[in-house]
Amino acid sequence: MGQEQSVIDDDTPPKSLADRSLAAVADYIKSGKARRIVVMTGAGISTAAGIPDFRSPETGLYANLAALDLPEPEAVFDLHFFKQNPKPFYVLAKDLYPGNFYPTVSHVFISMLAEKGLLCQLYTQNIDCLERAAGIPSELIVEAHGSFAGQRCIECKTAYPENLMREHVARAEVPRCIRYPECSGLVKPDIVFFHEALPSLFYERMDLTISADLALVMGTSLQVHPFAGLPNMVPDRAPRVLFNMERVGTLGSQADDVLVLGDCDTGVRKLADELGWRDELEEKWRALVGHKEAKRQLQGMKKRIEGIQDEVSRLADEVEEVLRLGHDGSADEANSVIQPPSRDPEKEKSPEDGQEDRQEARTGEAEEKDQAET
Ligand code: OAD
């Protein structure tokens, strides 16, 4: 862990930190210079809890769905596809639904920042509600891609009761509007699918990053805009720390960027050590998740990855089965013609442009793919 992939030249001195290390970040916090910390998170902070991320090559959900007869793996979270065939999403929802997982050390560290009055805002792309479960006050959380906390009809927007939703999800069944037969719209959790607008709260709170004095970016590939643009809004003088398996986005390009590459719980524990918060962190986490779960999360990374691999390939098998049924005509009425999700390059803008749709980042590769499709 450390600076091995930093694109900043070793000869370029940091501006706000003594050096580009976790010890210097801890000193910066302890000296009172970090009173407005913003945290930006993605699926990587929940993998230790047993929830697969999306884009990791072996264990990611999309990698494992790639072999199936979907227009593309992301289609499971695409509104156009969902309207044609909601069943694959509900197969996944059964396993991803909140209540089956416990917060990780990384979640609890963020809740400690809140308790100490240092957390300005947490922006999460995760839909697992583990931030809430870790005790982070809801007013400090922006769930940029929504969550499973509510659900409604996609046609008339009528809210759908949580108990009924839970029952449907448990059976991997597709719920329909409670106003049936007046409305027979599909019901969807308040998760932001591709081609849907982000919650207005994201745009209202986005500017808090401009006044941040420290940013922690954790467990995200920064592939999905507009969220991916958030770290770039943090002012130059504010250190940005990346806790991730790999270098992502522009992290590592500024004088006060610190790269902590590897498992984020391990990185967070190191920062907690430097801050003198380690005992408190472990105590809070264990009290929250219990001994058995703590032991499970602490088991070797290799074993954990194997567990996620099994889980993800089982999920992929279930989705495949649903797709197969759709093709031989024995699936429910909603399984009809599958259209590839359309991608509109016109809508690809940064958060500064006030973009409202979630889109994949425009990498050269994505553009090539689009050209091939048209
Ligand atoms: P990704 O799967 O794209 O990226 C997860 C990142 O976390 C990768 O860079 C991994 O290397 C890293 N990672 C995985 N486990 C880690 C660990 N234990 N410690 C440190 N890093 C780890 O997930 P997101 O960036 O969250 O939409 O994806 C963004 C959005 O794309 C999601 O919100 C999702 C998806 O479409 C929906 O939920 C509907």
Side-chain angles (χ1 to χ4, degrees):
M1 282 195 200
Q3 297 307 301
E4 55 272 38
Q5 286 188 35
S6 178
V7 296
I8 200 91
D9 197 296
D10 275 352
D11 297 334
T12 308
K15 294 175 189 162
S16 302
L17 296 173
D19 56 69
R20 288 186 280 271
S21 70
L22 274 183
V25 173
D27 286 343
Y28 181 81
I29 296 173
K30 284 190 278 189
S31 71
K33 288 179 188 152
R35 292 175 186 279
R36 296 179 58 78
I37 303 179
V38 290
V39 182
M40 296 146 193
T41 60
I45 73 160
S46 295
T47 51
I51 305 173
D53 69 6
F54 297 91
R55 296 179 181 79
S56 282
E58 304 272 306
T59 52
L61 211 44
Y62 292 158
N64 284 273
L65 295 177
L68 308 187
D69 197 8
L70 287 161
E72 56 187 18
E74 292 90 337
V76 185
F77 295 106
D78 183 295
L79 191 61
H80 299 164
F81 182 79
F82 180 82
K83 286 178 179 172
Q84 299 291 330
N85 188 355
K87 190 78 180 171
F89 168 74
Y90 276 97
V91 169
L92 295 184
K94 185 171 170 235
D95 283 78
L96 302 178
Y97 204 63
N100 300 328
F101 303 100
Y102 295 89
T104 64
V105 161
S106 297
H107 292 102
V108 174
F109 181 82
I110 303 167
S111 97
M112 279 176 68
L113 291 177
E115 268 175 24
K116 293 175 191 300
L118 301 174
L119 182 66
C120 170
Q121 198 68 52
L122 163 66
Y123 303 88
T124 181
Q125 297 165 96
N126 297 346
I127 53 174
D128 52 31
C129 298
L130 288 183
E131 300 82 7
R132 299 170 192 222
I136 301 166
S138 57
E139 65 272 18
L140 294 181
I141 307 174
V142 171
E143 289 169 331
H145 294 170
S147 79
F148 275 106
Q151 50 278 320
R152 64 205 67 251
C153 168
I154 61 170
E155 303 301 338
C156 70
K157 310 295 174 205
T158 302
Y160 190 78
E162 193 192 323
N163 58 330
L164 290 183
M165 183 68 175
R166 204 169 270 282
E167 286 171 19
H168 277 79
V169 167
R171 296 193 298 262
E173 279 175 15
V174 181
R176 294 267 173 186
C177 185
I178 44 165
R179 291 177 57 239
Y180 184 86
E182 203 182 318
C183 174
S184 61
L186 294 163
V187 171
K188 180 180 88 52
D190 294 339
I191 293 168
V192 182
F193 276 25
F194 291 106
H195 302 112
E196 279 194 302
L198 268 69
S200 55
L201 195 65
F202 175 82
Y203 294 100
E204 286 159 24
R205 304 268 175 91
M206 188 166 84
D207 282 356
L208 289 172
T209 50
I210 297 169
S211 59
D213 44 30
L214 175 65
L216 308 181
V217 180
M218 308 166 79
T220 173
S221 61
L222 293 181
Q223 292 279 309
V224 178
H225 282 278
F227 191 98
L230 286 180
N232 303 337
M233 295 173 71
V234 175
D236 263 11
R237 59 176 166 71
R240 304 185 304 177
V241 187
L242 175 70
F243 296 94
N244 207 52
M245 288 295 186
E246 60 203 325
R247 194 169 81 78
V248 292
T250 59
L251 275 295
S253 64
Q254 291 184 8
D256 289 284
D257 283 356
V258 178
L259 301 183
V260 187
L261 301 185
D263 173 48
C264 57
D265 285 351
T266 307
V268 158
R269 283 189 162 98
K270 286 191 175 170
L271 179 56
D273 272 333
E274 297 290 352
L275 285 163
W277 299 357
R278 178 70 184 271
D279 290 347
E280 191 185 346
L281 175 66
E282 300 292 348
E283 221 170 273
K284 281 185 190 301
W285 175 62
R286 280 175 181 278
L288 188 68
V289 306
H291 178 66
K292 203 170 151 203
E293 170 66 9
K295 195 170 161 203
R296 199 195 61 75
Q297 289 195 21
L298 280 168
Q299 73 192 6
M301 176 85 93
K302 190 166 166 273
K303 212 166 163 202
R304 212 196 294 150
I305 286 176
E306 279 165 11
I308 290 184
Q309 263 166 348
D310 291 349
E311 172 71 0
V312 172
S313 65
R314 190 183 58 72
L315 281 173
D317 287 348
E318 284 184 43
V319 173
E320 185 174 30
E321 176 67 5
V322 162
L323 291 168
R324 194 183 59 73
L325 288 175
H327 282 279
D328 68 22
S330 54
D332 68 37
E333 60 185 84
N335 296 342
S336 54
V337 186
I338 299 170
Q339 297 289 343
S342 72
R343 294 180 169 207
D344 182 357
E346 281 303 301
K347 292 183 181 169
E348 301 287 348
K349 295 175 193 161
S350 68
E352 293 87 339
D353 298 325
Q355 181 213 344
E356 296 225 326
D357 280 2
R358 278 182 58 199
Q359 302 281 341
E360 293 287 338
R362 308 306 295 170
T363 58
E365 198 186 330
E367 279 165 8
E368 272 171 33
K369 197 173 163 200
D370 282 359
Q371 276 163 14
E373 278 171 7
T374 50

